[in-house]
Every structure is written in structure tokens, then in C-alpha cells.
Amino acid sequence: MPKMKTKSSCKKRFKTTASGRVVAAQAGKQHGMIKRSNKFLRNARGTTTLSAPDEKIIKSMMPYAR
């Protein structure tokens, strides 16, 4: 059997935690910060865990992530 491929875009953007959740960066901080509120920018720092339906999609694209 050949090896399964990992999506390159996913391995750059997502990591899995020890408990199996998927961690991603907060969205909305690439550009256009002048029009966003300070509260939004504060809340968009760091990372967040994905919701269960999104997690299922990402895990299918990363077969070897543990």
C-alpha cells in the first residue's frame, strides 16, 4: 500500500494537541487592522481550538497527525 498524502496547506496552518484537538491561529489579523476595533485585535491574538465539524475536515487532510 502506498503512503497517504498530507495536505501541505494543512501541515503549515494546523497542529494537534496531546488530547487530539486541532489548534489554529485566530482569523482576521493579516491586514486591515485600522478598521478593526481594539477589542477584536486583542481577542484575535494567539491560537484557538477548532470546532468539532471543522476538526473532522482537517484531520482527514492530515492522516499522520497524532
Side-chain angles (χ1 to χ4, degrees):
M1 261 324 264
K3 292 182 181 176
M4 295 172 74
K5 295 271 190 161
T6 296
K7 266 294 191 198
S8 290
S9 58
C10 287
K11 71 184 175 191
K12 294 168 190 170
R13 290 173 174 84
F14 304 105
K15 294 208 180 320
T16 53
T17 63
S19 61
R21 302 297 308 271
V22 177
V23 175
Q26 292 275 13
K29 291 260 309 208
Q30 291 296 316
H31 58 82
M33 253 65 76
I34 264 185
K35 65 181 90 166
R36 308 206 196 285
S37 68
N38 287 331
K39 181 180 177 182
F40 176 91
L41 295 177
R42 265 196 318 275
N43 291 338
R45 275 186 211 141
T47 58
T48 184
T49 55
L50 295 185
S51 63
D54 292 337
E55 206 172 275
K56 191 175 177 188
I57 295 166
I58 298 304
K59 282 185 174 178
S60 70
M61 297 179 187
M62 298 172 64
Y64 297 108
R66 294 194 171 103

